């Protein structure tokens, strides 16, 4: 039955491409999460009235975030080829896609982190300062603790964007479902391959969204 509906789908290749997409998405989400939080905290803490108020550091950080957030991902992959070659040793394969995925997504998530931190009631921060709390205590037990639901929602949105980015990473031979759908499906007029790859991508997105919403709702105590 399935063979009649999807005659051109080679399931070994489909699962291999699924594994490549999950590999690229998983690793890039992990690194984007920590790098995005670090950049978001730096933007928030060095802003006017922040604990580490520093106009120069804030301006430089904001400029870096804005530049990399504005470059279209397909162009960013090409621009980072020398950096990827120096870091990974190759510009082909799933690992070679990771630097571009992380550099492209981390600034986007950093702005979400900064916005989440700005939503925290300043009275809570002032209360912690008046009780003599250290900066590290304010960061981990006030800022990050109070913004956990928003941070999870932000990384959920970023993760879904990264699934889309992995499809474009096929230009450097990274593989994945997007690459399979384009090369084996679209270019060879095998519509069933394109449709199946799209369905699996949608399932991955739905699962990420479901678990992201579930975790965020569990963390939200309001």
């Amino acid at each position: 039955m399935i063979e009649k509906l999807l005659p051109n789908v080679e399931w070994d290749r489909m699962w291999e491409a699924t594994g490549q997409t999950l590999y690229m998405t998983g690793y890039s989400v992990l690194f984007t999460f920590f790098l995005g939080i670090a950049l978001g905290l730096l933007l928030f803490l060095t802003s006017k009235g922040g604990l580490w108020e520093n106009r120069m550091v804030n301006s430089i950080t904001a400029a870096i975030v804005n530049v990399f957030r504005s470059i279209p991902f397909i162009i960013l992959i090409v621009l980072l080829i020398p950096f990827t070659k120096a870091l990974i040793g190759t510009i082909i394969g799933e690992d070679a896609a990771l630097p571009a995925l992380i550099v492209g997504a981390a600034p986007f998530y950093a702005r979400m982190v900064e916005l989440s931190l700005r939503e925290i009631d300043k009275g809570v921060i002032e209360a912690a300062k008046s009780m003599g709390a250290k900066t590290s205590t304010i960061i981990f037990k006030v800022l990050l603790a109070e913004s956990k639901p928003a941070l999870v929602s932000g990384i959920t949105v970023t993760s879904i964007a990264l699934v889309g980015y992995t499809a474009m990473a096929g230009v450097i031979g990274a593989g994945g479902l997007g690459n399979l759908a384009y090369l084996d499906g679209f270019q060879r007029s095998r519509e069933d391959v394109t449709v199946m790859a799209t369905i699996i991508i949608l399932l991955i997105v739905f699962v990420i969204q479901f678990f992201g919403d579930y975790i965020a709702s569990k963390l939200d105590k309001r």
Side-chain angles (χ1 to χ4, degrees):
M1 180 69 177
I2 294 178
E3 291 179 352
K4 288 183 180 179
L5 289 173
L6 307 167
N8 298 307
V9 175
E10 298 174 30
W11 291 103
D12 288 345
R13 293 189 63 191
M14 189 64 71
W15 298 136
E16 182 184 3
T18 302
Q20 290 167 340
T21 294
L22 292 175
Y23 176 84
M24 289 186 284
T25 304
Y27 272 96
S28 57
V29 167
L30 181 66
F31 283 99
T32 295
F33 180 72
F34 290 108
L35 184 58
I37 285 182
L39 286 171
L41 275 171
L42 190 60
L43 284 169
F44 179 75
L45 294 173
T46 58
S47 62
K48 188 176 182 181
L51 295 173
W52 297 340
E53 182 176 341
N54 187 313
R55 188 174 178 181
M56 180 179 290
V57 173
N58 185 265
S59 298
I60 293 172
T61 307
I64 293 171
V65 167
N66 288 339
V67 166
F68 284 101
R69 196 173 60 137
S70 303
I71 299 174
F73 183 68
I74 195 71
I75 297 174
L76 185 64
I77 292 177
V78 178
L79 290 176
L80 288 179
I81 282 178
F83 174 70
T84 301
K85 175 74 173 177
L87 186 67
I88 307 294
T90 179
I91 59 170
I92 298 174
E94 305 101 283
D95 289 335
L98 294 177
L101 290 168
I102 296 165
V103 171
F108 176 73
Y109 183 53
R111 281 300 185 191
M112 289 190 172
V113 173
E114 184 192 12
L115 290 174
S116 301
L117 298 175
R118 290 191 183 282
E119 293 296 319
I120 298 173
D121 186 350
K122 286 187 171 56
V124 179
I125 301 173
E126 292 301 324
K129 288 167 64 178
S130 66
M131 287 188 288
K134 296 178 182 176
T135 302
S136 58
T137 303
I138 294 175
I139 289 174
F140 290 104
K141 295 192 175 181
V142 177
L143 297 178
L144 296 181
E146 289 290 324
S147 59
K148 280 190 289 188
L151 295 179
V152 171
S153 296
I155 196 63
T156 301
V157 173
T158 307
S159 301
I160 291 171
L162 277 166
V163 173
Y165 286 175
T166 62
M168 287 183 272
V171 297
I172 57 168
L177 290 164
N179 189 52
L180 183 71
Y182 179 70
L183 293 180
D184 202 50
F186 176 73
Q187 287 203 334
R188 301 178 68 181
S189 299
R190 293 177 168 181
E191 288 79 8
D192 53 339
V193 175
T194 305
V195 170
M196 196 63 231
T198 304
I199 289 173
I200 296 176
I201 289 173
L202 289 174
L203 286 174
I204 293 172
V205 169
F206 289 156
V207 169
I208 291 172
Q209 187 69 63
F210 173 79
F211 279 106
D213 290 344
Y214 177 77
I215 294 171
S217 66
K218 287 293 181 183
L219 292 173
D220 193 349
K221 304 299 182 185
R222 291 173 294 179

